[in-house]
Amino acid sequence: MKEKPQFIGIDNIKVFDSNIKNITLSADAEFSNPNNVGGTLQTDALKVLVNNREVATFTSKEFKVPSKDKFKIPLTVSIATDSIINKGNLSGLLGSLLSKKLKVQYIGDIKYKIFGYASTYTINKTEDVKIKL
């Protein structure tokens, strides 16, 4: 192994699906692996915030890293709509509904492992995403 895979960034954050009960957010963590060997990547308690409010935490299964290739890890999470609504941020949610945008933030770590070697990528990405009503 020469070097750990390069973390390119979090891309393609969007509302994948929305209805009265749930909002499903999706994003891609993009990497490039220049090595002849793969390894595994895993998200560890990645937090998802909507309008500055933590609404979900998820941990993925291990994802196999391909050798000598660019690749993406899907970061998809379904959130109960009522977890976004509370009395403290009702005005923020109303503003989001009127502007048809949500502020979505992914915060946490993605861990890379190979042959006893481990490395961590710190994720902190915020983006305004459009919602369809």
Side-chain angles (χ1 to χ4, degrees):
M1 185 182 85
K2 294 182 177 119
E3 56 190 285
K4 68 180 186 176
Q6 179 188 1
F7 174 61
I8 297 169
I10 302 291
D11 193 23
N12 207 21
I13 297 175
K14 63 185 176 187
V15 174
F16 181 72
D17 188 31
S18 61
N19 57 49
I20 199 76
K21 291 188 177 182
N22 292 297
I23 294 175
T24 303
L25 299 170
S26 67
D28 295 319
E30 200 170 349
F31 291 86
S32 177
N33 184 10
N35 302 303
N36 290 325
V37 292
T40 59
L41 285 171
Q42 184 173 8
T43 60
D44 187 26
L46 196 64
K47 292 176 176 30
V48 179
L49 289 79
V50 174
N51 292 348
N52 298 317
R53 179 183 163 97
E54 187 178 326
V55 292
T57 301
F58 70 97
T59 301
S60 74
K61 293 182 247 176
E62 282 191 345
F63 182 87
K64 290 195 183 298
V65 173
S67 60
K68 291 202 167 280
D69 202 3
K70 277 188 177 181
F71 61 97
K72 295 179 181 182
I73 299 175
L75 304 174
T76 303
V77 64
S78 186
I79 300 160
T81 306
D82 62 6
S83 72
I84 298 172
I85 302 169
N86 74 4
K87 290 176 184 160
N89 76 345
L90 190 58
S91 63
L93 182 67
L94 288 173
S96 289
L97 293 175
L98 291 172
S99 69
K100 298 184 180 176
K101 287 186 178 178
L102 290 174
K103 179 181 172 186
V104 177
Q105 189 171 14
Y106 282 83
I107 300 174
D109 294 326
I110 296 178
K111 293 185 177 165
Y112 173 67
K113 292 180 194 169
I114 184 167
F115 307 130
Y117 168 82
S119 185
T120 301
Y121 305 91
T122 300
I123 308 301
N124 188 344
K125 172 73 175 184
T126 303
E127 199 164 299
D128 287 333
V129 295
K130 291 181 181 174
I131 52 175
K132 294 175 187 165
L133 301 175

